[in-house]
Every structure is written in structure tokens, then in C-alpha cells.
Amino acid sequence: MKSRINEVLESYREFLTTHDYKDTPILTAYVDIDPTNPDNRRDRPAWLIELKNEAKRLAADLDEAKLKRRATQTKWADTSEMVMEYLKDRKPTGRSVVLFTDHSDFLAVDLPVPVPTKLYYGVPEVKHLLFSLDQHKKYLVVLLSGSEVRALEVFLTRTTDELRVETEHELGRRLGRTANAHKHESRASEFERRFTREVAKEINQHFLGDPDFERLVLGGNVKHAHAVKNALHPAVREMLVAVEPIDFKLPKTEVARHVKAIADHHELEHDLAVVDDLVARFNRSGTAVVDRQGVETALARGNVRRLVLPYLSDDQDLDALIVDATLGGSEIEFVCGEAATKLNELGGIGATLYYAGGAS
């Protein structure tokens, strides 16, 4: 997913830099086109009705005097038609889509999770886009039992409590063939060491060759799993979330549920660590800020390494800061649950800095 996020951010930066978004309001449209929803497969899909209702809601919120001008009415009508036709003609590759337009040109991005249909006008509304990409995690689950290996891909999304598991992964079949080739080793210990190295080698190659994998879980026989853990490349070992005694023969949906429980705990701990790191940097070295003014000053000076935000914040003033951070090349990190509450108590926003003293 990291490669996808970088690709999207590059397109987004290019759109913003070629469109005068500070002087020309941008229309942002999030549309829940989820093809798994039967209501979206009707001749008059649910997303179309929701989008038209949102357009009416937005028009009611805007300056009525401006909307009465014929030129303005024509512009909005043309924009609505452009968005509707684009969505009708395209084949969805995600569960929802977000479009940014200045009424003459637009950027569209498919999202892997459903996002409620909503229109925004003014500063580009990008936090839902970034969050939906960042929180859709791809886990590799490798279960070991004697000379057998199962490997599954599990996709998890925190805010929607969704999980999806792919069919048995080729990695498991490949390792199974390797095991059969060596099962007649003269000594069990020799086979075990060789097989451990082969499993770790395959996992290393798979992780280092696919930047979309962000998390690894090892299960099955815990003794074998720990042996494989110790044989992993250090860069891959850092991605290991847990070694758990997950039953090797569990159906894949049950494996996915186990992984989701592991992932929920891991992501919570990760978020709390992010906020704790902010506080520690702020108190110890001054290489972090935990208030709005400090973040604004650091952004103006190009001194924000990573912007940390609670999700989901209703504070639309944050949108301008997110845009500035995105254009400046800063990382964006969202925290949820207990960590978001803690961040809100501190000041509602934070940032790690490249150097101390740059926010004063």
C-alpha cells in the first residue's frame, strides 16, 4: 500500500500545483460506489441518488446570491454532468472514489474501502483519502506445521471493521514443494534447519519484492515459527507483528479473524507509541510540537517531518494544514481511539520536526 500512497500523493501534488486552489475553490466529491452493494447494481444506483442529494445539500449551504448568476449556474451544471458521466462510464476498481475538480479539470482516485458519499467545496478535503489508503493494511500470514506451510494474504481496514482474505498464497505451495524435496534428509535436525532457512528465504524475497506488504504474522507450530523469525532478514523481522499458536488447519476465514484481533491490538499500540513519541520529543529535545500554532509555524518553515492527526476530526481547518503538509512532502500519520483522545487532550494536532527550534 505504501507504493500506492506515494503514487496517489504525487498525482495529488501535481493537481494542486497546476490549479490555483488557494484562490479557486476546489470541489471534492467522495462517492460510495461499492459494487458489492446490491443497491449500487440497479439501473438507478444508490450512489447516484446519494450524490444528487449531496449536490442539493451543498447548493443550499453556498452563497445563494452567487448561485443565482446564470454563469455560475451553468458552471455547476456542467461540473455535475462531468462528474456523473465519469462515474457512470467507468468500471470501478475500488469500493469508493474521490474526485477533485476546479470545474474544468479533475483528478479521480479509487479507494479500497467504502467512504460515505459527501461533497466539500473550498480547500481540498484529502484526509479521508489519506486515511482510507493508510489504514487498509495487507498482512502476510504464514502458518507452519512440520514440513507443511500455509500462506495467506489478509486485508484489514480499521474503521469499517472489515477483513478480506485471499485464497491460499503461492508462497505456501512453493514451500510445500521445497519440503517434499528434502523430507528424506538423513537427520530430522538437518531437515529442520534447512527447511527453516528455506521458509525464511522465501518470506524475505516475498516481502522485499512487494512493497505493498506492511505486516507479517507467523503461526502454527510456535517452535518452528520462532526459528523462522530468527532467520528472517532484519528489515523483514521489523514487519513481524506477532508469533501466535494459530491452528494450522483452521479455515481461512477463522485465520483472518485471529489476525484481525492481533492487528487491532498492534495498531492501537502503534498509535499510542506515535503520540508518546511526540510528547517525548517535545519535552526532551524540542523536535516536536503538539499545538496548532506550533504546527503552522513549522509548516511555514518547511520543518515538518511528520504531521500527526486524530481521526476522524470534524475540524475542517485541519484540511488546509494537511494540504500544506502534503505539498511540502511531509508524512501524514492518523491515530485512532485512545491515542486520538490523548492527542486531542494535548492540542488536537502534532508534528515531528527535522530540527529543534523551528516552530518558535
Side-chain angles (χ1 to χ4, degrees):
M1 190 55 67
K2 289 181 179 179
S3 60
R4 174 63 174 155
I5 292 174
N6 291 335
E7 176 186 327
V8 168
L9 285 177
E10 185 58 37
S11 298
Y12 180 68
R13 291 188 191 102
E14 182 178 351
F15 180 82
L16 291 183
T17 54
T18 54
H19 297 76
D20 192 5
Y21 74 96
K22 290 190 176 180
D23 294 326
T24 303
I26 299 294
L27 174 67
T28 306
Y30 285 89
V31 188
D32 183 359
I33 58 169
D34 190 353
T36 66
N37 179 359
D39 291 338
N40 278 333
R41 297 198 293 266
R42 299 180 307 199
D43 291 339
R44 185 176 170 79
W47 67 258
L48 181 61
I49 299 170
E50 293 169 355
L51 188 57
K52 288 185 175 181
N53 289 336
E54 262 300 289
K56 292 178 182 177
R57 192 271 311 164
L58 181 62
D61 291 344
L62 296 176
D63 190 331
E64 292 186 6
K66 289 183 179 179
L67 288 177
K68 288 180 180 178
R69 298 173 187 169
R70 183 174 296 277
T72 302
Q73 290 179 350
T74 300
K75 179 175 70 174
W76 275 91
D78 290 345
T79 300
S80 297
E81 182 178 356
M82 176 179 66
V83 171
M84 299 289 184
E85 289 303 314
Y86 172 79
L87 292 173
K88 286 179 183 178
D89 294 341
R90 71 194 299 276
K91 182 177 181 180
T93 59
R95 305 283 294 281
S96 56
V97 63
V98 57
L99 299 97
F100 303 95
T101 179
D102 62 349
H103 296 287
S104 62
D105 189 17
F106 70 90
L107 168 69
V109 179
D110 289 308
L111 303 177
V113 296
V115 177
T117 299
K118 187 74 179 288
L119 298 181
Y120 305 86
Y121 194 61
V123 176
E125 166 53 74
V126 71
K127 61 177 174 282
H128 302 299
L129 161 65
L130 296 177
F131 185 81
S132 66
L133 292 175
D134 180 62
Q135 297 303 311
H136 189 67
K137 302 294 186 185
K138 185 176 181 181
Y139 277 67
L140 176 65
V141 185
V142 179
L143 305 181
L144 301 107
S145 177
S147 62
E148 295 182 276
V149 178
R150 288 179 68 193
L152 304 91
E153 293 180 4
V154 179
F155 297 83
L156 302 168
T157 303
R158 294 175 70 186
T159 53
T160 59
D161 280 337
E162 287 191 318
L163 61 86
R164 177 166 60 88
V165 58
E166 295 292 332
T167 55
E168 299 294 320
H169 198 275
E170 170 62 23
L171 177 63
R173 292 191 291 271
R174 197 160 58 241
L175 286 168
R177 290 193 294 269
T178 299
N180 287 331
H182 296 292
K183 65 182 179 182
H184 299 300
E185 297 280 0
S186 59
R187 291 180 299 172
S189 59
E190 182 179 343
F191 165 77
E192 187 173 314
R193 285 194 297 271
R194 184 190 295 270
F195 189 57
T196 295
R197 290 196 300 270
E198 291 290 343
V199 172
K201 178 182 176 182
E202 288 284 352
I203 294 175
N204 288 339
Q205 290 178 346
H206 197 71
F207 254 87
L208 298 176
D210 185 349
D212 284 345
F213 276 114
E214 297 182 58
R215 304 284 191 266
L216 170 65
V217 173
L218 297 177
N221 184 303
V222 175
K223 177 184 175 183
H224 292 171
H226 275 289
V228 169
K229 169 189 172 181
N230 294 333
L232 290 173
H233 186 284
V236 177
R237 198 179 307 133
E238 288 182 0
M239 302 178 188
L240 179 66
V241 171
V243 176
E244 293 286 336
I246 302 172
D247 189 339
F248 184 86
K249 295 183 179 180
L250 274 182
K252 63 182 181 181
T253 52
E254 291 300 316
V255 173
R257 290 191 181 96
H258 275 276
V259 173
K260 185 182 184 315
I262 294 168
D264 286 345
H265 177 74
H266 173 79
E267 300 300 339
L268 171 61
E269 293 296 316
H270 170 80
D271 286 359
L272 287 171
V274 168
V275 177
D276 289 342
D277 180 63
L278 274 176
V279 174
R281 287 172 178 270
F282 176 75
N283 291 328
R284 185 177 63 244
S285 61
T287 54
V289 288
V290 289
D291 65 279
R292 175 73 60 85
Q293 183 176 352
V295 168
E296 290 176 349
T297 302
L299 280 171
R301 297 180 178 179
N303 188 25
V304 171
R305 179 188 298 274
R306 178 173 59 177
L307 185 66
V308 182
L309 303 159
Y311 191 87
L312 172 64
S313 173
D314 293 327
D315 187 352
Q316 294 192 354
D317 290 339
L318 292 181
D319 296 334
L321 297 181
I322 296 173
V323 171
D324 289 343
T326 303
L327 287 174
S330 305
E331 296 177 15
I332 309 291
E333 179 100 25
F334 292 98
V335 295
C336 300
E338 185 181 342
T341 300
K342 190 171 182 179
L343 183 59
N344 281 322
E345 291 172 351
L346 291 171
I349 189 172
T352 59
L353 310 178
Y354 288 107
Y355 53 88
S360 59

